[in-house]
Amino acid sequence: MQSEALRHDRILRVLDRLLYDKDFRTAFAEDGPAGARVALDEDLLDAFDRVDVHELALVGRNIRSEVVSGGTGTGPGLKGSFPRTLDALREGRHAPVNDVAEAFIASAAFQEFRDVPFSPRGRGRTLPECFHRFMAARPADLDPSGELEPLVHHEAAAAVTRAVATGAHATFDVGLRDMTFHGDVLCGFREYAEAPAAWQLKPTMFLAGAGRCVIGPARRPLFDALTSLLDGRPDALTPSVRASLEDRLSSWGLR
């Protein structure tokens, strides 16, 4: 029974690669399950002898389409969440969006995304956060120097903030750099000092609560004061400052 269970797990891992790794899928379609590039264990060959490679390709394209343009669980997709990043990759690296998406889908970072809430593997992370993790790992064919990371983070943080405001935190974990919950509000701040001046990335504050979010330029002292209030530490502020910030949070719908 144990060996059969292990074989079943190995079959699922191969299926996973066939669905999400275009290069592996192409090798499978061209060489078959016994091909050298596929390199399946001999005891798995019979399980893949009758796979419809045309249907497999169609499913792979559908997955890519949802990741690029949005669909169930993906929110607005890469095009909606990362317009400036994709422009930079296309213009500076000559990487069209479909190629970027295929590399992302085949990566370990994409495996943290869950399009089915409450998966047996855990809640997973939102698509924008997973894409940031992918790019922050400095993919060799796209951004080996990591210079695009600040821009990717800015767009990912905005997308995650909007997702949390619409209730995504009920089904996804959030662990994006520089973002954490203070009380019931997701809070993030980053200076983006390392970003090229041409990108015009200003110090930005990201706040998200139930049904509301705030994204915009801010300074660190203001952000720290707001998170003190949200953490239930009003004594760290003078009464006048506290009252002013309470009014601001209330006007934003975060109080």
Side-chain angles (χ1 to χ4, degrees):
M1 286 294 293
Q2 185 177 11
S3 61
E4 187 59 29
L6 290 174
R7 180 174 181 271
H8 178 71
D9 288 343
R10 286 157 56 217
I11 289 173
L12 290 180
R13 285 197 293 271
V14 174
L15 284 173
D16 193 71
R17 287 196 67 193
L18 286 171
L19 289 173
Y20 297 110
D21 188 331
K22 182 183 178 182
D23 290 342
F24 186 75
R25 189 166 59 245
T26 299
F28 183 92
E30 292 177 353
D31 303 344
R37 289 186 296 165
V38 179
L40 293 189
D41 294 334
E42 190 171 348
D43 66 327
L44 299 186
L45 293 178
D46 63 319
F48 292 94
D49 269 341
R50 298 183 181 180
V51 170
D52 186 330
V53 294
H54 298 292
E55 184 68 21
L56 195 62
L58 178 61
V59 173
R61 286 195 297 270
N62 288 342
I63 291 171
R64 185 190 67 200
S65 177
E66 289 193 351
V67 168
V68 169
S69 302
T72 304
T74 61
L78 297 183
K79 278 188 175 180
S81 298
F82 297 94
R84 295 182 65 189
T85 298
L86 294 177
D87 283 346
L89 287 168
R90 183 179 62 253
E91 295 168 5
R93 278 75 174 171
H94 307 292
V97 63
N98 283 346
D99 290 354
V100 174
E102 292 289 5
F104 171 45
I105 292 167
S107 73
F110 184 77
Q111 295 299 310
E112 296 185 63
F113 171 64
R114 304 283 185 271
D115 54 0
V116 179
F118 308 112
S119 160
R121 290 188 292 168
R123 299 203 310 172
R125 304 187 184 279
T126 62
L127 189 77
E129 180 172 342
C130 291
F131 186 69
H132 173 262
R133 288 175 175 237
F134 166 65
M135 291 297 294
R138 301 185 176 192
D141 294 336
L142 298 176
D143 190 28
S145 68
E147 66 176 338
L148 290 178
E149 189 277 331
L151 179 59
V152 181
H153 180 276
H154 190 275
E155 294 192 304
V160 170
T161 299
R162 295 188 185 101
V164 169
T166 61
H169 185 53
T171 51
F172 292 101
D173 289 325
V174 177
L176 186 64
R177 173 184 168 183
D178 301 310
M179 302 191 81
T180 188
F181 278 88
H182 292 268
D184 295 328
V185 179
L186 177 69
C187 304
F189 180 87
R190 186 164 168 183
E191 295 278 358
Y192 299 109
E194 70 276 41
W199 290 352
Q200 298 183 323
L201 294 183
K202 299 178 180 179
T204 305
M205 176 173 65
F206 307 88
L207 304 174
R212 298 296 297 272
C213 68
V214 176
I215 303 169
R219 293 297 176 186
R220 187 82 208 193
L222 171 61
F223 177 76
D224 289 343
L226 288 170
T227 54
S228 292
L229 276 181
L230 293 168
D231 282 337
R233 296 183 286 111
D235 294 342
L237 307 170
T238 65
S240 61
V241 170
R242 182 168 67 241
S244 174
L245 295 181
E246 287 281 11
D247 287 344
R248 187 175 299 195
L249 287 171
S250 179
S251 70
W252 289 338
L254 299 174
R255 242 350 190 189

